[in-house]
Amino acid sequence: MMLREKFDLAKLLEEINNDEEEQTKDLSQEKNIPQDAITELMLAHLRKKKQNHTL
């Protein structure tokens, strides 16, 4: 027979609630930019960088 550790359920619930509050979504980082736009911007930047190095 294995002994199991007993946990304080009230304390566990409080920890879960604290974790949920800490993990709330950070809307300041969200911009909803489509992936194709990001890819195009990256490619344009690389083209410009390459062009500046060949001059």
Side-chain angles (χ1 to χ4, degrees), residues 3-18:
L3 296 175
R4 293 187 180 171
E5 187 177 349
K6 292 186 180 182
F7 295 98
D8 181 0
L9 295 180
K11 186 175 177 183
L12 287 174
L13 182 60
E14 182 181 342
E15 287 179 14
I16 291 170
N17 287 333
N18 288 341

Side-chain angles (χ1 to χ4, degrees), residues 19-45:
D19 285 346
E20 286 177 350
E21 289 174 17
E22 289 177 21
Q23 294 178 10
T24 55
K25 196 171 186 181
D26 183 5
L27 297 177
S28 67
Q29 297 290 324
E30 189 173 312
K31 302 212 186 313
N32 291 328
I33 301 172
Q35 185 60 46
D36 343 350
I38 294 170
T39 304
E40 285 301 317
L41 288 170
M42 290 173 64
L43 289 172
H45 176 72

